[in-house]
Amino acid sequence: MSSSNLVSSLYLVAFAFLLHTAFGADPLFHFCSNPENFTANGPYEANLNKLISSLYVQTPPTGFGMSNVGDKPDQTYGLALCRGDVETSDCKTCVADASSEIRKRCPYNKAAIVWYDYCLFKYSDEDFFGQIDNKNKFYMLNVRSVSDPEAFNQKTKELLSKLAKDAHATPKLYAVGEMDLSESEKLYGLTQCTRDLSSTDCKKCLDGIIGELPSCCDGKEGGRVVGGSCNFRYEIYPFVNA
């Protein structure tokens, strides 16, 4: 991607953030990530429909599901992940919305991914389980800047690095925490990985995207790097459910 296209994409992402804040129902972002299409009403679509049904049932109780359906060359692989603080009912709703919306946006693509605030939904004709996905990724940022970017950036990296260590050591590969910025202000953070990753690869994935802080969110009051295998978010206000 050229630098001009990247900048345009980041502005679009920031605009998408404002739309999402206003309306709340749309996906954060999506990619139709495979140029190869499948035939309508063919065996791949039949397997994909079975996969979606399986993930809809499998994901909400634990917040994560993964499955594969069919045989080559029409085998399909997929996973769904809900944010670690999301209730089962909200997880179920999000997975249903995500699986429906991605089929509308990528109707015949053999691979696609969509993110909402509460969940991620991903499928492919290739086995991606246990592999760090660095291809599907986007940034979101708060357009407001802090008064002391250097100090704020350092504290943000410190908090997120701690949360990366915490997340990789938990079964859910998820962690949240906070840090005092002053007597009256706090910084809040979240890190999470998809649970097909090993603990080691979760830490590697999170360390990688935390390293993108300068290009993502330099001196901004809030931001996210969101990928197909892991994500982080930080804000100066609480954003997870108690």
Side-chain angles (χ1 to χ4, degrees), residues 174-193:
Y174 165 81
V176 293
E178 59 189 58
M179 171 185 287
D180 289 332
L181 294 175
S182 66
E183 289 186 2
S184 59
E185 193 172 44
K186 290 185 177 183
L187 178 67
Y188 301 85
L190 173 154
T191 56
Q192 186 170 19
C193 299

Side-chain angles (χ1 to χ4, degrees), residues 140-215:
M140 295 180 70
L141 62 150
N142 189 312
V143 295
R144 296 182 60 179
S145 298
V146 298
S147 57
D148 186 352
E150 186 174 350
F152 184 82
N153 290 348
Q154 181 58 40
K155 289 197 172 185
T156 300
K157 184 176 182 180
E158 183 181 339
L159 175 60
L160 292 175
S161 295
K162 177 189 178 298
L163 294 179
K165 291 180 182 178
D166 292 346
H168 101 286
T170 67
K172 290 177 70 172
L173 302 183
Y174 165 81
V176 293
E178 59 189 58
M179 171 185 287
D180 289 332
L181 294 175
S182 66
E183 289 186 2
S184 59
E185 193 172 44
K186 290 185 177 183
L187 178 67
Y188 301 85
L190 173 154
T191 56
Q192 186 170 19
C193 299
T194 57
R195 286 180 237 163
D196 61 312
L197 294 188
S198 67
S199 173
T200 300
D201 281 342
C202 175
K203 179 69 162 51
K204 181 179 178 181
C205 185
L206 288 169
D207 286 345
I209 61 171
I210 290 169
E212 298 181 35
L213 268 170
S215 54

Side-chain angles (χ1 to χ4, degrees), residues 46 52 84 89 142 149 176 240:
I52 288 171
S89 58
N142 189 312
V176 293
V240 298

Side-chain angles (χ1 to χ4, degrees), residues 71-241:
D71 300 307
K72 294 291 186 183
D74 298 306
Q75 193 167 10
T76 181
Y77 303 82
L79 63 76
L81 174 73
C82 288
R83 206 173 73 189
D85 62 311
V86 173
E87 296 289 340
T88 299
S89 58
D90 290 331
C91 178
K92 187 174 184 179
T93 298
C94 191
V95 170
D97 290 345
S99 60
S100 173
E101 189 66 23
I102 198 61
R103 291 302 312 279
K104 294 175 185 175
R105 297 184 179 224
C106 309
Y108 300 112
N109 293 81
K110 283 192 172 182
I113 184 169
V114 63
W115 294 268
Y116 284 73
D117 243 348
Y118 278 4
C119 70
L120 150 72
F121 193 93
K122 177 183 179 181
Y123 64 85
S124 176
D125 60 325
E126 297 181 359
D127 183 358
F128 60 84
F129 298 154
Q131 303 172 39
I132 297 174
D133 180 358
N134 287 315
K135 181 174 66 173
N136 297 304
K137 185 187 301 178
F138 68 98
Y139 298 165
M140 295 180 70
L141 62 150
N142 189 312
V143 295
R144 296 182 60 179
S145 298
V146 298
S147 57
D148 186 352
E150 186 174 350
F152 184 82
N153 290 348
Q154 181 58 40
K155 289 197 172 185
T156 300
K157 184 176 182 180
E158 183 181 339
L159 175 60
L160 292 175
S161 295
K162 177 189 178 298
L163 294 179
K165 291 180 182 178
D166 292 346
H168 101 286
T170 67
K172 290 177 70 172
L173 302 183
Y174 165 81
V176 293
E178 59 189 58
M179 171 185 287
D180 289 332
L181 294 175
S182 66
E183 289 186 2
S184 59
E185 193 172 44
K186 290 185 177 183
L187 178 67
Y188 301 85
L190 173 154
T191 56
Q192 186 170 19
C193 299
T194 57
R195 286 180 237 163
D196 61 312
L197 294 188
S198 67
S199 173
T200 300
D201 281 342
C202 175
K203 179 69 162 51
K204 181 179 178 181
C205 185
L206 288 169
D207 286 345
I209 61 171
I210 290 169
E212 298 181 35
L213 268 170
S215 54
C216 153
C217 327
D218 185 25
K220 299 301 181 182
E221 288 186 356
R224 316 184 200 186
V225 175
V226 186
S229 294
C230 66
N231 73 91
F232 73 71
R233 181 179 180 183
Y234 73 89
E235 306 284 356
I236 57 171
Y237 59 85
F239 59 88
V240 298
N241 299 317

Side-chain angles (χ1 to χ4, degrees), residues 15-96:
F15 181 65
F17 173 71
L18 296 176
L19 286 177
H20 183 80
T21 301
F23 302 109
D26 290 336
L28 301 178
F29 216 71
H30 79 281
F31 291 110
C32 304
S33 52
N34 191 327
E36 185 181 354
N37 291 344
F38 59 81
T39 303
N41 302 315
Y44 187 86
E45 184 169 26
N47 289 336
L48 180 57
N49 289 336
K50 290 177 184 176
L51 174 75
I52 288 171
S53 296
S54 174
L55 293 176
Y56 174 72
V57 172
Q58 185 187 148
T59 305
T62 65
F64 179 72
M66 58 185 285
S67 185
N68 64 88
V69 176
D71 300 307
K72 294 291 186 183
D74 298 306
Q75 193 167 10
T76 181
Y77 303 82
L79 63 76
L81 174 73
C82 288
R83 206 173 73 189
D85 62 311
V86 173
E87 296 289 340
T88 299
S89 58
D90 290 331
C91 178
K92 187 174 184 179
T93 298
C94 191
V95 170

